[in-house]
Amino acid sequence: KAGVTQTPRYLIKTRGQQVTLSCSPISGHRSVSWYQQTPGQGLQFLFEYFSETQRNKGNFPGRFSGRQFSNSRSEMNVSTLELGDSALYLCASSLTDRLATNEKLFFGSGTQLSVL
Amino acid sequence: AQKITQTQPGMFVQEKEAVTLDCTYDTSDPSYGLFWYKQPSSGEMIFLIYQGSYDQQNATEGRYSLNFQKARKSANLVISASQLGDSAMYFCAMRESGTGRRALTFGSGTRLQVQP
């Protein structure tokens, strides 16, 4: 069974540009969540989607947005890039949207975004 | 206050020895789950082990075990018989059911280096 696939693996952009990152969850998984990982702030939750609906959102500005398609694939978009947006963006999928403490998240290898 | 605290930024261990990675957490929610993930240099977060707040026994998964001390709010990861391939970042994470959110809260991580 293929794991979570994120594309592209690396991305270099300049300030002010926008970027779109893609995530394909494990087959059959319907929940996709996104995390930002930086050396300074660590891993922070961005948002979660289930059945094309955003279920939760982290404490990030409106420049960060996302969506989910009917096949559960998800994209996240960052507009008007800032230097501080340089980070590893990780996508995770899970089978359901149950609020169960034991539901595992399966992560992809991430997209490393560098903003110059 | 930090929800998840990992006080060891870096650890060294000799191959074939056991190592303990520390994790303390802060929550007033009686129902929560604790996770450990491994992140090799490839970037992918790999699930290792889970412990629920109501679990009576410490979780074990192969060479990984979780030393869960609920009263002390600690959930230390024990890796037995370390291997060179265990060199990676290790993250402790928590999900609290009372928040109504499925997002994981991560600690700052511990970099483990296994020496031959």
Side-chain angles (χ1 to χ4, degrees):
Chain A
K1 204 177 200 181
V4 178
T5 304
Q6 291 188 246
T7 56
R9 185 72 179 91
Y10 300 95
L11 208 47
I12 299 175
K13 292 285 186 179
T14 56
R15 278 182 301 172
Q17 287 186 309
Q18 74 164 17
V19 67
T20 299
L21 313 181
S22 179
C23 172
S24 293
I26 291 172
S27 177
H29 284 195
R30 297 171 63 193
S31 173
V32 173
S33 51
W34 290 86
Y35 288 78
Q36 181 197 63
Q37 185 177 19
T38 60
Q41 299 298 316
L43 280 145
Q44 294 186 288
F45 170 72
L46 280 156
F47 28 65
E48 181 183 17
Y49 288 86
F50 184 85
S51 293
E52 302 176 66
T53 302
Q54 188 179 90
R55 295 300 181 94
N56 280 299
K57 191 177 193 307
N59 190 24
F60 279 83
R63 301 185 296 107
F64 291 81
S65 63
R67 59 178 176 169
Q68 186 181 34
F69 302 95
S70 58
N71 61 359
S72 294
R73 191 177 71 85
S74 177
E75 289 181 347
M76 69 163 280
N77 183 278
V78 188
S79 62
T80 320
L81 283 166
E82 300 177 359
L83 295 178
D85 297 334
S86 294
L88 179 66
Y89 290 88
L90 290 161
C91 169
S93 75
S94 61
L95 194 58
T96 75
D97 67 338
R98 294 182 307 123
L99 185 59
T101 58
N102 63 347
E103 179 123 333
K104 284 184 273 190
L105 297 185
F106 296 86
F107 285 83
S109 296
T111 294
Q112 183 67 54
L113 172 65
S114 298
V115 182
L116 306 179
Chain B
Q2 293 282 344
K3 285 273 188 180
I4 300 283
T5 302
Q6 295 181 252
T7 57
Q8 307 152 312
M11 290 277 287
F12 288 91
V13 66
Q14 290 294 122
E15 197 177 4
K16 299 179 185 175
E17 291 187 349
V19 63
T20 298
L21 306 184
D22 294 342
C23 172
T24 57
Y25 58 93
D26 182 27
T27 181
S28 57
D29 194 331
S31 177
Y32 54 90
L34 296 158
F35 300 78
W36 277 92
Y37 280 87
K38 171 185 177 182
Q39 187 178 43
S41 56
S42 61
E44 181 183 0
M45 299 280 283
I46 302 166
F47 167 79
L48 295 178
I49 197 166
Y50 166 83
Q51 180 84 42
S53 59
Y54 293 119
D55 293 342
Q56 295 295 314
Q57 293 192 318
N58 287 342
T60 60
E61 292 277 356
R63 295 187 299 112
Y64 305 107
S65 61
L66 203 152
N67 184 358
F68 181 47
Q69 298 188 48
K70 193 170 180 177
R72 298 178 64 179
K73 294 188 175 178
S74 76
N76 299 338
L77 176 70
V78 180
I79 305 175
S80 63
S82 296
Q83 302 172 355
L84 294 177
D86 293 335
S87 294
M89 283 291 289
Y90 288 80
F91 292 93
C92 179
M94 177 171 65
R95 178 184 288 129
E96 302 163 276
S97 67
T99 63
R101 290 163 57 93
R102 286 162 36 89
L104 293 178
T105 301
F106 286 87
S108 56
T110 295
R111 181 172 298 281
L112 177 66
Q113 294 188 57
V114 181
Q115 297 176 318

